[in-house]
Amino acid sequence: MGPSAALGDQRASMEVVKDWNGIDQVVLRAPRGASARVISWRNGRGEELLFTSSKAIFRPPKAIRGGIPLCFPQFGNCGSLEQHGFARNRMWVVEDDPPPLRTGESTGCVSVDLLLRPSEEDLKCWPHCFEFRLRVSLGADGDLSMISRIRNVDGKKFTFSFAYHTYLSVSDISEVRIEGLETLDYLDNLCNRERFTEQEDAITFESEVDRVYLGSPDVAAVLDHGKKQTFIIKKEGLPDTVVWNPWEKKSKSIVDFGDDEYKQMLCVDGAAVERPITLRPGEEWTGRLELSAVPSSFCIKNLDPTRSI
């Protein structure tokens, strides 16, 4: 496995290291001290910004409970595949010479390109040939971006759903609110995907939440009053936003999740769920997510939702 890094600064770096199972992991390091790997995104002060359960299982092919799993070619259990599809459970390879991104696409100061192709076992349960390219970039300011490109290299069209299943680390879920999703319709997975309209000015948490907000803006903010920090979530090519916290009762039923860990996490996913994506032979889809963490004085009203990321 050879490294592939785009270095915009000589102090930025990309390296491949072994985890405790002897499996290769890619680590990106930005000049100001920020870093990112499969399940970790740290700011320049070394503070972890993503949540990973203390009970997470790090043995393939088990999915890791935390980080940013990629849900493909199925989100949730709305289909014939395993929960959230198989991409999050597979071993990817570093691609030394990927096809170029479109003109003007930012790559950050250090990045790595990964590639996933279907195995024989994958083709038995989902008989479609694809190339899934993922570029993970870390900006000089510590922003994390992920660009997914899925190409149909099959002889027939196929359809898939997708999500960046982003586990954010928070101080206490009772101290968190989400802005940017107000007035939107959502599908409530706790009510058999019944459709409702968000009535609150911001989303707060007092019980289990499992919703798909439809036609959501390309920017939202997660305000953590306990940490005095705000996550800015920008997306492109992803029409929906998934919000999930299992709360106390469900947490106790999840094997690889601590009973009280729901208090320290929140999933806010850029996704394409309600209307799955269809690709004809030779077509390619692109979906991008960008995460930044800023002081809590930041106001989402300062963001221009029409500005491309």
Side-chain angles (χ1 to χ4, degrees):
M1 182 181 293
S4 169
L7 302 181
D9 185 302
Q10 301 243 340
R11 295 169 296 170
S13 68
M14 191 281 286
E15 61 179 326
V16 178
V17 301
K18 298 285 187 183
D19 69 7
W20 41 88
N21 287 316
I23 297 172
D24 287 339
Q25 280 192 8
V26 176
V27 181
L28 304 179
R29 303 187 193 280
R32 299 176 186 172
S35 65
R37 63 172 69 197
V38 174
I39 58 169
S40 175
W41 170 40
R42 295 178 182 270
N43 60 23
R45 298 182 299 277
E47 297 166 340
E48 182 57 61
L49 301 173
L50 297 179
F51 167 86
T52 299
S53 173
S54 62
K55 294 189 175 182
I57 299 170
F58 295 90
R59 292 190 301 272
K62 177 66 178 178
I64 298 172
R65 178 71 64 182
I68 309 179
L70 301 177
C71 302
F72 169 84
Q74 175 182 299
F75 178 79
N77 57 7
C78 299
S80 59
L81 301 177
E82 59 189 290
Q83 174 89 354
H84 293 324
F86 50 73
R88 63 181 184 152
N89 302 336
R90 300 298 183 260
M91 299 297 292
W92 296 56
V93 297
V94 176
E95 189 172 27
D96 291 324
D97 188 24
L101 295 168
R102 66 177 184 265
T103 302
E105 188 74 79
S106 173
T107 60
C109 74
V110 58
S111 63
V112 63
D113 292 281
L114 305 174
L115 174 64
L116 178 70
R117 292 189 174 102
S119 67
E120 291 184 7
E121 289 302 312
D122 295 335
L123 292 172
K124 289 179 182 178
C125 63
W126 200 67
H128 305 290
C129 291
F130 65 87
E131 292 177 342
F132 187 159
R133 288 182 166 86
L134 175 69
R135 173 166 291 185
V136 182
S137 301
L138 194 63
D141 54 2
D143 291 356
L144 178 66
S145 68
M146 306 177 74
I147 303 172
S148 292
R149 293 182 288 170
I150 298 171
R151 176 173 291 275
N152 184 346
V153 294
D154 209 341
K156 57 184 182 297
K157 68 180 180 181
F158 61 68
T159 299
F160 63 92
S161 53
F162 180 91
Y164 290 104
H165 196 27
T166 307
Y167 285 79
L168 300 174
S169 175
V170 300
S171 61
D172 189 301
I173 191 63
S174 64
E175 297 288 328
V176 172
R177 57 190 280 141
I178 303 175
E179 295 183 358
L181 303 178
E182 52 274 9
T183 75
L184 295 181
D185 285 358
Y186 64 87
L187 305 179
D188 194 331
N189 290 320
L190 303 179
C191 299
N192 297 315
R193 293 174 63 85
E194 188 174 348
R195 190 173 183 131
F196 298 92
T197 299
E198 181 58 60
Q199 301 294 326
E200 303 298 329
D201 293 335
I203 301 169
T204 57
F205 299 88
E206 298 178 347
S207 60
E208 181 181 357
V209 172
D210 189 354
R211 301 172 182 171
V212 181
Y213 286 83
L214 308 174
S216 59
D218 285 342
V219 60
V222 178
L223 288 72
D224 187 337
H225 301 297
K227 288 187 176 181
K228 296 181 171 58
Q229 175 179 269
T230 297
F231 289 106
I232 306 302
I233 302 171
K234 301 177 185 178
K235 59 187 178 67
E236 190 175 274
L238 301 159
D240 306 320
T241 298
V242 177
V243 177
W244 179 65
N245 182 284
W247 215 253
E248 185 175 8
K249 182 178 180 180
K250 181 164 288 184
S251 294
K252 292 179 179 179
S253 69
I254 301 174
V255 174
D256 57 347
F257 194 83
D259 289 355
D260 295 320
E261 287 185 329
Y262 72 93
K263 297 177 182 178
Q264 277 75 55
M265 58 74 63
L266 173 64
C267 284
V268 182
D269 311 348
V273 177
E274 184 192 27
R275 298 179 180 176
I277 297 154
T278 298
L279 294 180
R280 294 189 293 269
E283 287 186 332
E284 182 176 276
W285 168 85
T286 299
R288 177 173 174 173
L289 180 76
E290 182 180 299
L291 302 174
S292 57
V294 299
S296 58
S297 57
F298 180 89
C299 179
I300 191 172
K301 294 179 181 177
N302 295 334
L303 282 175
D304 178 2
T306 65
R307 183 175 64 84
S308 176
I309 57 175

